Amino acid sequence: MSFTLGKEEKLKSKKLIEQLFAEGKHVKSFPFRLVYLPVNHFGKMPIKVGFSVPKRNVKLAVNRLRIKRLMREVYRKNKDLFTDNLDKRYIFMFVYMAKEEIKYSDLELALIKLGAKFQDKIKEYEQN
């Protein structure tokens, strides 16, 4: 497992992002909300991912960018929680819901919990 987050893994297509927010399902684990959608994209990796920090919640751009960097780093180190046991290709968007910056260790714990919830949701969906 490679602990990188390369260009081919990033979600950049406006069409895919619009489709994700229109049709996607979500899972929450404070301070994250994961919006996901099974989509047959043509990337090398099984998941294309984006990160968002709403301006409504975090006013200063400096703080929003720092939170995004932390989110990317936490995901990069723990992405095997999401990519393991996947049969389909997915697009993800991690949305930060808190009003203030949270410590790295707390973000990591929340992401691990979110990964477990996502895997449970996928297993439940495949059984039905």
Side-chain angles (χ1 to χ4, degrees):
M1 179 80 209
S2 171
F3 291 106
T4 61
L5 187 61
K7 187 176 182 179
E8 66 278 352
E9 293 181 70
K10 293 180 183 171
L11 178 61
K12 295 184 178 192
S13 166
K14 281 191 176 186
K15 286 183 182 179
L16 285 179
I17 292 171
E18 287 174 5
Q19 183 182 4
L20 174 64
F21 282 109
E23 304 170 16
K25 297 175 177 59
H26 70 274
V27 181
K28 291 181 184 177
S29 175
F30 188 82
F32 294 119
R33 178 175 186 239
L34 170 65
V35 183
Y36 65 94
L37 182 66
V39 134
N40 195 9
H41 59 80
F42 299 105
K44 297 176 185 175
M45 304 302 283
I47 294 175
K48 283 195 173 276
V49 64
F51 301 90
S52 174
V53 180
K55 194 175 191 177
R56 178 186 310 170
N57 293 349
V58 183
K59 300 293 183 200
L60 295 178
V62 177
N63 296 337
R64 285 196 305 274
L65 291 174
R66 176 168 168 72
I67 292 168
K68 279 188 201 178
R69 281 196 306 271
L70 290 173
M71 289 169 59
R72 282 193 295 264
E73 181 67 7
V74 168
Y75 173 76
R76 183 186 70 80
K77 287 191 172 179
N78 297 291
K79 70 179 172 183
D80 57 327
L81 297 172
F82 296 94
T83 57
D84 290 349
N85 306 321
L86 284 185
D87 296 332
K88 299 178 184 175
R89 294 178 171 269
Y90 284 87
I91 54 176
F92 282 1
M93 181 67 76
F94 288 95
V95 181
Y96 187 80
M97 297 184 308
K99 301 277 186 202
E100 68 284 330
E101 188 176 327
I102 295 178
K103 291 188 302 186
Y104 179 87
S105 57
D106 296 337
L107 285 177
E108 194 164 29
L109 290 174
L111 191 91
I112 290 169
K113 194 184 300 184
L114 188 66
K117 283 184 178 182
F118 171 72
Q119 289 292 347
D120 291 343
K121 228 16 172 195
I122 295 302
K123 287 177 189 171
E124 177 185 311
Y125 180 74
E126 288 175 355
Q127 288 175 352
N128 292 338

